[in-house]
Amino acid sequence: AQKITQTQPGMFVQEKEAVTLDCTYDTSDPSYGLFWYKQPSSGEMIFLIYQGSYDQQNATEGRYSLNFQKARKSANLVISASQLGDSAMYFCAMRGHNTNAGKSTFGDGTTLTVKP
Amino acid sequence: NAGVTQTPKFQVLKTGQSMTLQCAQDMNHNSMYWYRQDPGMGLRLIYYSASEGTTDKGEVPNGYNVSRLNKREFSLRLESAAPSQTSVYFCASSEGGGAPDTGELFFGEGSRLTVL
């Protein structure tokens, strides 16, 4: 089994500041991948960033970085220099590579609001 | 560049009616998925197909059936719709293909289903 927990239903951040969205996970697979997706109010799902469980370095993609702490089973998303267009719902997800291969599990999401 | 196409985008059903949601991808992906998203919540996996010819249950399979018609197409059928199946349904695909699937999910635009 695998589970994703996002404990922040809503977050506010001032434009141009950085924000961290929390994600903790649990899985029985020794190898797995962690993902973050963005869902704007228009409803589409947009992939942001990926971290493999055996990757030595934290993943970065432009203004997005993933703070991966394997021992704590956390995979927090950091957005630097927030923009108004970052206002959206953000989902953490994982996919196991063994028992849970093929099953991408999502958290309940965090709604981020960027204030001007 | 179509990506993942799902139809219909909107549907209203009466309790007990049946319908099929169609999904097709043009990225030559091996794995395909059906999720449902209820208001304010994350995505829950209904069924997935790791490769052509295989299907497996996800977290919430009851009341649904799927068919992996070929590598491109993966349909979701509601045999006897119930109000609890009112939701937004997303089809998604990923590379898959044997080795650990580290690829992100590519999503369709979603299908909004209302069961009265």
Side-chain angles (χ1 to χ4, degrees), chain A residues 49-92:
Chain A
I49 195 166
Y50 167 81
Q51 177 83 46
S53 59
Y54 285 98
D55 291 342
Q56 295 298 312
Q57 294 190 322
N58 287 345
T60 60
E61 288 285 348
R63 294 187 299 111
Y64 304 108
S65 60
L66 201 152
N67 184 0
F68 179 48
Q69 298 187 48
K70 193 172 182 178
R72 300 179 68 177
K73 295 188 176 181
S74 73
N76 298 338
L77 178 70
V78 180
I79 305 175
S80 63
S82 297
Q83 302 172 356
L84 296 178
D86 294 334
S87 292
M89 196 146 185
Y90 289 80
F91 292 100
C92 180

Side-chain angles (χ1 to χ4, degrees), chain A residues 86-116:
Chain A
D86 294 334
S87 292
M89 196 146 185
Y90 289 80
F91 292 100
C92 180
M94 75 177 304
R95 184 188 306 142
H97 295 161
N98 304 95
T99 306
N100 295 296
K103 298 180 186 177
S104 290
T105 301
F106 285 74
D108 285 339
T110 296
T111 300
L112 177 66
T113 303
V114 181
K115 295 181 176 180

